[in-house]
Amino acid sequence: MEINGFEYHRLPGAGGVSLNVAVGGSGTPIVLLHGFPQTHLMWRHVATDLAADHTVICPDLRGYGSSDKPADEYSKRAMAADIVAVARELGHSTFALAGHDRGALVAFRAGLDHPDVVTHLMCLDVLPTLDMWDMMRGTSAAIGFHLYLMAQPPGLAETMITASADTFFGHFLTLWANDGSAIPADVRAAYLDACRAAVPSIVADYRASATVDVDHDQEDLAAGNKLRMPVTVIQQDWGAALGFDAAARWQAWSTDLQHQTTTAGHFMAEEAPEEITTAIRALLKR
């Protein structure tokens, strides 16, 4: 499946990796990064709206969708370098960046590593990696069982997930949506097809968030590095549900933060596209 009206390109990322990239519209550029267990298609509503006055760039992250799936190197640093390279290939030395879920972690790292490239940053429904691991305590951590499964050394998670891929990935598409109709049957099938074909790389992406990504974030925290561009974070109210202050967690990483909660489910770009598009447009005016 494709985003209507968008052109598709095979573009070089970092380290010899090629990404599948949908591009539409014209004007100042914004890059939209998808989450798990999805592809760039999750932005179909938001992207077509923004394309009225922006160049909108929607890649499949490395390891996902129709992008290359190398055996290793899934640090968010490497994945962020992919995005900078893709934008540069399209002629953009700077761009705004919005990410959801896994894509939000890539966007977060891009903002820290490339502050002169990323002009505005939006992160949807995540905490920074260090904060995510810190708040996953006790029985509340059961909601993130997949994080612990895919953090294991290579072999176990890949075997288990491959044996029941549609059940595994479909579990999250069902559980995390407040409005299941926002992901119609053909889109759900496209997500499941893409994930079924990418189990090792998806696991490697998650494994990196329990290893090298932690190291990179700890280095920035120790050095006092923060996101210097305007940042908007939109989340479900997990902080209230699980007993932590999500806004304060993000405030520690940003010098210019707007934090808000939504009543939409995790897949908010599909469940509440007008809300997300409006928030992106407001961010771009800051």
Side-chain angles (χ1 to χ4, degrees), residues 2 6-12 18-24 56-60 66-67 86 89-90:
E2 297 184 346
F6 275 51
E7 296 183 353
Y8 280 73
H9 307 268
R10 194 84 189 172
L11 298 176
S18 295
L19 271 59
N20 176 52
V21 184
V23 182
V56 184
I57 304 166
C58 301
D60 285 332
S66 296
S67 289
V86 162
E89 185 72 15
L90 291 168

Side-chain angles (χ1 to χ4, degrees), residues 236-252:
Q236 297 179 90
D237 202 1
W238 288 113
L242 300 178
F244 66 91
D245 187 338
R249 293 278 184 167
W250 273 103
Q251 191 68 58

